[in-house]
Amino acid sequence: MAQQATASSRIASLILRIFTFILLLTSLIVLATNSIGSSDDDSKVRFTDFYAYRYMLATIVIGNAYSLLQLVLTIFNIVSGGDGVPFLDFFGDKFISYVLATGAAAGFGLTVDLKRLMDASGVDLLNFDDKAFASASLLLLAFVTTAILSILSAYTIPKRV
């Protein structure tokens, strides 16, 4: 019975890790393509012009690298029938979930401030803020899936007697 519970938790972990990877990849694409203005002149505003969006990009890249590593390790553990490294799963998921949460918070905070500032000055953001909100929302969903993975991995840590 315990073997079946471990196998089902590994499958659930694999599905959540795939979902996290897809969310982070989509968030990366949306954020990286976010810009305002024409490419003809130097007045084009990109997401890299803002420190909070650069931090958001860094958290997405770090999260994606960790997610890909854990995805490979989870597939290996399912195929080989091993237990893996439960402490890496637990503490790594905790750490990455906090990193993703701070990235999403930075993205939401700057987007709200930019929208308020531009609305007050009468400048149209041309969907720049909508794309930033979408990217931060996807990052927030990735945080939620990583937090769920952290809870799930807590049950695989060996208990001391």
Side-chain angles (χ1 to χ4, degrees), residues 32-49:
T33 59
N34 198 8
S35 63
I36 303 174
S38 64
S39 59
D40 298 339
D41 55 3
D42 292 334
S43 65
K44 188 170 187 174
V45 177
R46 293 180 180 85
F47 78 96
T48 55
D49 296 335

Side-chain angles (χ1 to χ4, degrees), residues 3 14 30 69 78 85 91 117 123 135 137 159:
Q3 185 74 5
L14 177 66
V30 170
L69 172 72
I78 289 173
V85 185
F91 291 113
L117 181 67
V123 176
S135 182
S137 298
K159 308 291 187 271

Side-chain angles (χ1 to χ4, degrees), residues 27 31 51-61 103-104 107 132 135-136 139:
S27 179
L31 183 64
Y51 288 116
Y53 290 146
R54 283 195 235 168
Y55 177 74
M56 196 167 121
L57 176 71
T59 61
I60 292 169
V61 170
S135 182
L139 185 55

